[in-house]
Amino acid sequence: MNDYAVQLLTRMLEIYSPAGKEEEISNFLANEMERLGFNVRKDHVRNVIGEVGNGKPTLLLCGHMDTILGRIPVRMENGKLYGRGAVDAKAPLAAMIVASSMLAKKLSNRILMAGVVEEEGSSKGIKQLMKDGVTSDYAIFGEPSGTDKITIGYKGSLLLKITCETQTGHSAAPWLYENAIERAFDLWKEIKEIHLEKEKQDSHFYSINSALIRMTGGKVTSKVPSKCDMHIDLRVPPQFTSQEVYSEVASKIDRYQSVNPEVSVALKIRDRTEPFEVDPQSPLVRAFSWSVRKVRHTSAMLLRKTGTGDMNLFGRALNIPSITYGPGDSHLDHTLNENVDIQDYLDSIQVYREAIRRLIKLDENNR
Ligand SMILES: [Zn+2]
């Protein structure tokens, strides 16, 4: 099985599959999963869904087939396999496929093994699964947490565009006019200081973080800028909804407007993702912790990450226990040095397998 697992991952890395160009890897995985005994179907965005077993509980295992742009020659060096997607997230996806196929014959429940498209960007793949009414009792997302770690939370995000406009005139007499760029920056400094009561200021995970990610304004020489656009990325901890944070920004802007009537401010939401955190006492987290101890002889570390993932969308919408787990060091995500340690990869297959077995037992006892 180990040889096959390494071969599968190597072939997946050899198929270059940046977001939007998943056709080849999607066909490859559909064939491969059929050979491994899954009932395979594809939906119209080219997600591949393999099914084995039936009965409760249904587990969704989900990993993305796409990578960011940029080829990396596939090679094995000192027990590490290099290639674009080695970490993010083909090793986790391959490991989940191998683990669930090993369980296939002895299953008393149903596993849905999904390879999805376009996680790097629009999350089109996971959104399609949700549109098609795919449901499960538990969900496991394959992303690099490290073989000994389990990701149990992601923050949400709120992307805002704020436009400040002022009356303007010749820049030879700047004292006469309001500079929209300067005023926008003043407003940004106030937004940056937004904090709510339930926040924990000493924690990056449980506090609101904000970043000014783009600022544009000013058109011609000899004119004080009359318009400035700011793009702001606010990260939302799980004790809030993105709406609560939005309302706070909106009332900050209202207050700013009332003291600065010479500046007009417009606020728009460009995108939002709700935060997600699973109860550490959930059978899903307990099963994975147990399995890490069994396979790796160490206590699993529970991670709460400040980014977002497909887990936010699916776990939140279905309100089911969800975690993110997979081999690989996420610091290597999107770098030219993407590689996965083969032993970590092989061990993660055992972790998935033992965890799923354990989860089915714990779930039975809970019913
Ligand atoms: Zn990823």
Side-chain angles (χ1 to χ4, degrees):
M1 192 40 91
N2 284 356
D3 287 350
Y4 172 74
V6 175
Q7 210 184 72
L8 174 70
L9 177 57
T10 307
R11 285 168 69 194
M12 286 167 66
L13 295 180
E14 281 163 355
I15 301 173
Y16 184 55
S17 59
K21 301 228 162 49
E22 297 95 341
E23 187 171 359
E24 189 184 351
I25 192 154
S26 157
N27 291 337
F28 168 74
L29 286 180
N31 284 335
E32 209 57 31
M33 281 160 68
E34 234 158 55
R35 290 206 308 133
L36 290 168
F38 291 87
N39 266 323
V40 180
R41 65 190 153 90
K42 274 205 223 170
D43 63 23
H44 76 269
V45 300
R46 298 210 170 93
N47 289 325
V48 180
I49 303 118
E51 194 171 333
V52 280
N54 52 46
K56 283 237 147 202
T58 295
L59 313 186
L60 172 72
L61 275 64
C62 181
H64 61 94
M65 300 184 289
D66 61 309
T67 65
I68 62 150
L69 283 169
R71 292 177 192 262
I72 298 173
V74 179
R75 63 188 196 277
M76 183 77 90
E77 241 174 64
N78 303 323
K80 295 179 190 331
L81 186 57
Y82 288 76
R84 175 60 71 210
V87 172
D88 185 17
K90 290 181 177 176
L93 176 57
M96 288 193 297
I97 293 172
V98 176
S100 49
S101 75
M102 286 162 88
L103 289 166
K105 290 184 191 82
K106 307 157 231 163
L107 274 181
S108 58
N109 71 308
R110 178 166 167 253
I111 292 183
L112 294 174
M113 177 65 243
V116 298
V117 298
E118 287 188 43
E119 188 270 348
E120 304 288 356
S122 63
S123 287
K124 183 172 164 185
I126 191 74
K127 286 178 184 162
Q128 188 63 40
L129 290 189
M130 289 158 64
K131 259 191 230 159
D132 290 346
V134 171
T135 59
S136 65
D137 301 297
Y138 300 95
I140 300 153
F141 289 88
E143 291 277 359
S145 54
T147 307
D148 302 334
K149 298 171 191 156
I150 305 162
T151 305
I152 63 164
Y154 280 121
K155 285 172 93 163
S157 75
L158 176 64
L159 289 175
L160 299 175
K161 180 183 173 186
I162 297 172
T163 304
C164 290
E165 287 187 88
T166 53
Q167 292 296 322
T168 190
H170 202 290
S171 55
W175 60 89
L176 291 178
Y177 308 107
E178 295 297 334
N179 185 319
I181 297 178
E182 290 176 3
R183 303 310 298 266
F185 198 74
D186 289 342
L187 177 58
W188 153 244
K189 284 190 284 190
E190 289 193 24
I191 291 171
K192 199 178 166 183
E193 290 309 314
I194 284 180
H195 291 293
L196 297 171
E197 221 176 272
K198 285 179 287 172
E199 253 182 277
K200 289 185 195 157
Q201 297 285 351
D202 52 348
S203 152
H204 288 308
F205 186 73
Y206 290 108
S207 60
I208 297 170
N209 301 116
S210 41
L212 175 59
I213 53 174
R214 201 164 100 203
M215 197 168 185
T216 49
K219 264 191 188 145
V220 289
T221 45
S222 313
K223 201 176 163 203
V224 174
S226 63
K227 191 176 173 200
C228 180
D229 289 325
M230 287 193 288
H231 293 254
I232 291 171
D233 181 352
L234 289 128
R235 296 301 167 128
V236 183
Q239 64 274 42
F240 303 109
T241 60
S242 65
Q243 187 57 36
E244 288 173 282
V245 176
Y246 174 81
S247 302
E248 196 60 28
V249 175
S251 56
K252 179 73 84 180
I253 289 176
D254 285 347
R255 284 195 296 275
Y256 180 88
Q257 282 265 249
S258 63
V259 240
N260 300 278
E262 65 287 2
V263 188
S264 77
V265 186
L267 169 63
K268 248 196 208 157
I269 297 179
R270 286 178 57 235
D271 198 13
R272 59 161 101 191
T273 305
E274 299 305 326
F276 182 83
E277 186 182 25
V278 66
D279 177 359
Q281 289 310 313
S282 141
L284 182 59
V285 180
R286 280 160 47 212
F288 269 82
S289 298
W290 178 89
S291 180
V292 166
R293 179 172 289 285
K294 179 169 180 191
V295 175
R296 301 277 283 191
H297 312 290
T298 180
S299 310
M301 189 193 266
L302 303 183
L303 304 177
R304 293 168 178 89
K305 293 195 174 187
T306 56
T308 61
D310 279 351
M311 176 164 98
N312 295 59
L313 299 173
F314 196 83
R316 183 102 182 187
L318 270 73
N319 194 21
I320 54 164
S322 307
I323 58 153
T324 296
Y325 174 80
D329 175 357
S330 60
H331 291 109
L332 298 173
D333 280 14
H334 303 195
T335 69
L336 280 171
N337 196 30
E338 254 197 279
N339 72 81
V340 66
D341 182 280
I342 287 298
Q343 195 55 51
D344 287 351
Y345 165 63
L346 295 173
D347 284 355
S348 77
I349 297 172
Q350 305 306 326
V351 173
Y352 281 119
R353 193 180 65 161
E354 294 300 324
I356 292 169
R357 281 189 177 148
R358 182 74 176 178
L359 173 61
I360 293 164
K361 263 192 211 144
L362 292 175
D363 181 82
E364 249 170 37
N365 298 343
N366 270 8
R367 268 164 209 274

